[in-house]
């Protein structure tokens, strides 16, 4: 059995706020999103902690109650839209069924809500009776976005919602999310590897490396003055077309195997600022003004664990 640990320092999302969660592929972003709604596939499991939503600890909630929260109060856009839709059923029927399960409306009203939700993401009404395979990948992605947002949840977990889309549709979807955030006061967790998108569109950024959050703070502050060496390197590796031609910066090495991560700071084998203490002791998370950072550079090299 594989066991793993997801070390998350305190992370919160407020109503009407968009929090971008970024990190390299395999850093555990989707696992964090799935943990919130307790959908971590076995043998993964949540060993400790608290997930508070509307004053309830979701980790203690009976499965039946949680099922009512998922889809209604917490909308989810999963990373792979094809596996999230039933290939044997028309998309319209899938939307209508979800609405009826969670609300008291009749079929006709549910159809109206579903059509409005499809329209919001740019899917024409004549696609209502299509099967998922009749739609392009980007259209399926948009159907998933319509499904996740049509009941105006308090929290939306959007895992790579625009990755399969061209830049124009991507921008339209991001405008939709911004609009939902403002008009419905929706809290949005945007999971993506696209740091440039997050800096541009989110209120706060959480940077993840090898199953741990290393820095969390307002997007503007983090983009102007990143503290964690990993965040610094991620930002440096974003190409800037306005700057003179320079060699593209990349982060040498690969993320560790999370079943057997390095001792101490998990980033030390790739960190240009590594110190002796980093190899032995895991840095604890420090609160500095309006952000959190987890790096020995800000502990004054003190040997304090998490
Ligand atoms: N803390 C952890 N310890 C060990 N394994 C983990 C941990 N978190 C996630 N994993 C495993 O690592 C793999 C990648 O995790 P996950 O899919 O969450 O990463 P991701 O950041 O979403 O990657 P991508 O950007 O490619 O979608 C999964 O197989 C998952 O089970
Ligand atoms: S704790 Fe040490 S190795 Fe880790 S990011 Fe900070 S300086 Fe680098
Ligand atoms: Mg993922």
């Amino acid at each position: 059995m594989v066991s793993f640990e997801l070390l998350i320092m305190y992370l919160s999302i407020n109503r009407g706020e968009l929090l971008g969660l970024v990190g390299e592929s395999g850093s555990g972003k989707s696992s964090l999103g799935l943990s919130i709604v307790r959908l971590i596939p076995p043998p993964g499991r949540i060993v400790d902690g608290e997930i508070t939503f509307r004053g309830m600890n979701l980790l203690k909630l009976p499965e039946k109650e949680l099922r009512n929260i998922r889809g209604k109060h917490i909308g989810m856009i999963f990373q792979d839209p094809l596996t999230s839709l039933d290939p044997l059923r028309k998309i319209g029927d899938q939307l209508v069924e979800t609405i009826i399960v969670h609300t008291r409306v009749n079929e006709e009203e549910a159809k109206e809500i579903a059509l409005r939700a499809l329209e919001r993401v740019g899917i024409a009404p004549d696609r209502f009776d299509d099967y998922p395979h009749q739609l392009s990948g980007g259209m399926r992605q948009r159907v998933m976005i319509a499904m996740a947002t049509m009941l105006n949840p308090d929290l939306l977990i959007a895992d790579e919602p625009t990755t399969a889309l061209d830049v124009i549709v991507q921008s339209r979807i991001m405008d939709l999310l911004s609009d939902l955030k403002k008009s419905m006061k929706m809290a949005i967790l945007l999971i993506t590897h696209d740091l440039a998108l997050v800096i541009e569109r989110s209120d706060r950024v959480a940077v993840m490396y090898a199953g741990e959050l290393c820095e969390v703070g307002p997007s503007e502050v983090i983009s102007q003055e990143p503290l964690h060496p990993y965040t610094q390197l991620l930002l440096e590796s974003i190409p800037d077309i306005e700057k003179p031609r320079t060699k593209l910066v990349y982060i040498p090495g690969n993320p560790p195997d999370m079943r057997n991560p390095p001792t101490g700071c998990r980033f030390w084998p790739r960190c240009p600022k590594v110190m002796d203490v980093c190899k032995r002791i895991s840095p604890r998370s420090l609160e500095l003004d309006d952000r959190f950072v987890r790096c020995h550079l800000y502990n004054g090299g003190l040997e304090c664990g998490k």
Side-chain angles (χ1 to χ4, degrees):
M1 176 173 142
V2 183
S3 69
F4 62 77
E5 208 187 351
L6 194 64
L7 292 167
I8 307 296
M9 52 196 182
Y10 180 71
L11 185 67
S12 66
I13 313 177
N14 299 318
R15 286 189 78 88
E17 182 181 57
L18 201 157
L19 176 80
L21 177 64
V22 288
E24 280 166 289
S25 184
S27 55
K29 304 181 296 296
S30 297
S31 302
L32 191 156
L34 291 168
S35 302
I36 295 174
V37 280
R38 283 192 3 216
L39 286 177
I40 277 285
R45 68 192 173 96
I46 301 169
V47 289
D48 202 2
E50 234 176 62
I51 298 169
T52 311
F53 176 72
R54 294 172 129 209
M56 297 171 282
N57 181 0
L58 297 185
L59 297 186
K60 295 247 163 82
L61 218 60
E63 178 59 31
K64 200 171 151 214
E65 284 179 47
L66 193 63
R67 235 177 285 146
N68 190 41
I69 286 181
R70 289 188 203 120
K72 185 176 180 191
H73 300 294
I74 303 184
M76 292 158 295
I77 302 166
F78 293 109
Q79 192 166 2
D80 184 352
L82 194 53
T83 55
S84 314
L85 290 167
D86 183 343
L88 301 177
R89 298 186 53 223
K90 295 173 180 171
I91 56 154
D93 291 346
Q94 297 189 48
L95 293 174
V96 165
E97 187 195 4
T98 308
I99 296 165
I100 290 176
V101 164
H102 287 295
T103 63
R104 288 162 191 228
V105 300
N106 62 33
E107 202 171 328
E108 206 178 312
E109 289 164 326
K111 189 169 176 184
E112 267 176 41
I113 297 174
L115 282 169
R116 266 204 309 275
L118 287 177
E119 193 193 346
R120 260 196 326 205
V121 294
I123 303 273
D126 61 355
R127 294 298 198 149
F128 195 81
D129 288 323
D130 278 3
Y131 289 90
H133 75 269
Q134 292 173 292
L135 305 176
S136 70
M139 287 167 96
R140 283 194 292 262
Q141 184 81 306
R142 282 184 278 157
V143 170
M144 282 310 301
I145 294 168
M147 193 180 283
T149 55
M150 65 189 173
L151 295 176
N152 296 324
D154 298 316
L155 170 66
L156 174 69
I157 300 171
D159 195 349
E160 305 279 5
T162 59
T163 304
L165 308 177
D166 63 67
V167 282
I168 293 169
V169 183
Q170 181 185 75
S171 169
R172 190 167 164 185
I173 296 296
M174 288 312 302
D175 288 345
L176 169 71
L177 295 185
S178 298
D179 181 50
L180 288 169
K181 184 188 84 160
K182 281 195 206 113
S183 58
M184 309 306 302
K185 288 260 169 277
M186 204 179 275
I188 302 178
L189 175 63
L190 173 68
I191 299 175
T192 175
H193 59 272
D194 189 341
L195 181 57
L197 178 79
V198 159
I199 294 291
E200 188 192 325
R201 295 289 195 150
S202 66
D203 302 297
R204 282 190 304 135
V205 184
V207 182
M208 194 160 189
Y209 183 78
E212 294 182 352
L213 286 177
C214 33
E215 186 161 6
V216 183
S219 309
E220 222 179 287
V221 177
I222 298 233
S223 68
Q224 298 297 321
E225 197 202 340
L227 293 179
H228 198 283
Y230 181 57
T231 319
Q232 291 166 355
L233 286 169
L234 279 182
L235 280 163
E236 279 169 30
S237 60
I238 300 176
D240 186 343
I241 49 167
E242 280 168 17
K243 280 193 183 151
R245 262 173 66 159
T246 47
K247 223 172 154 191
L248 215 57
V249 175
Y250 71 101
I251 308 175
N254 291 306
D257 176 352
M258 285 202 277
R259 289 165 301 181
N260 189 19
T263 51
C265 170
R266 292 183 176 183
F267 188 54
W268 78 255
R270 303 171 76 190
C271 181
K273 298 181 179 164
V274 59
M275 303 173 284
D276 188 45
V277 62
C278 310
K279 302 179 186 173
R280 292 180 286 111
I281 295 173
S282 174
R284 67 176 178 176
S285 126
L286 280 186
E287 191 175 355
L288 299 167
D289 299 325
D290 47 359
R291 66 167 115 182
F292 289 90
V293 64
R294 192 187 185 104
C295 170
H296 282 301
L297 288 172
Y298 308 95
N299 280 350
L302 293 178
E303 299 211 355
C304 40
K306 54 182 184 273

